[in-house]
Amino acid sequence: MQHADTPWRVLVVDDEPDLVEVICGALRYEGWQARGVTGGLDAVTVAADWHPHAIVLDVMLPDFDGLEVLRRVHTADPEVRVLFLTARDAVEDRIAGISAGGDDYVTKPFSLEEVVVRLRGLLRRTAPPARPPPAP
């Protein structure tokens, strides 16, 4: 279980910078640490350095897609939780995201409150092991 003095770390990955900032702001309001990036390569790099507990991940990114981000991140850390947040709303897309190792899938447009609640539930149910502290 998470200790009160170690807030959840959540990486937000979306190609829309304004959306990244809104979601990060909501997560910080919850008392969590949040970082945002707008590309797949940046997501993989930040995840490797910062060791987030969870990632909010868009499928459609400018350099490579969210499924590839998930694959690369899970290769290094299979315990990180992934909540897909994407405009791709076909049943096949949701099945592909969950089958690839995603933990949940929310489609755009979305409720910010729903994203926070789903993340909270995901992290509560699947409390990850202790992570090394982020690099200074």
Side-chain angles (χ1 to χ4, degrees):
M1 194 84 195
Q2 178 198 16
H3 295 97
D5 59 343
T6 57
W8 295 116
R9 289 190 298 277
V10 181
L11 176 60
V12 179
V13 185
D14 196 289
D15 60 339
E16 299 176 43
D18 291 341
L19 181 59
V20 168
E21 193 51 44
V22 166
I23 296 170
C24 284
L27 299 178
R28 289 181 190 118
Y29 181 80
E30 292 294 315
W32 302 346
Q33 294 178 3
R35 288 193 185 172
V37 297
T38 57
L41 183 57
D42 288 340
V44 172
T45 301
V46 170
D49 292 340
W50 192 51
H51 306 283
H53 297 99
I55 301 174
V56 176
L57 181 59
D58 191 5
V59 173
M60 297 180 290
L61 298 169
D63 44 7
F64 50 85
D65 71 20
L67 296 175
E68 179 63 16
V69 172
L70 174 81
R71 187 188 68 72
R72 292 183 187 198
V73 168
H74 271 180
T75 296
D77 181 3
E79 298 301 317
V80 68
R81 304 300 171 215
V82 175
L83 170 69
F84 280 108
L85 180 64
T86 181
R88 298 188 69 165
D89 63 353
V91 171
E92 300 83 29
D93 294 320
R94 293 190 301 257
I95 290 170
I98 300 298
S99 296
D103 297 288
D104 203 349
Y105 199 102
V106 176
T107 57
K108 296 176 184 176
F110 63 93
S111 157
L112 191 55
E113 184 178 13
E114 179 184 4
V115 170
V116 171
V117 167
R118 284 179 181 256
L119 265 176
R120 187 182 302 125
L122 181 71
L123 290 168
R124 180 179 60 239
R125 286 190 315 272
T126 59
R131 302 265 188 212

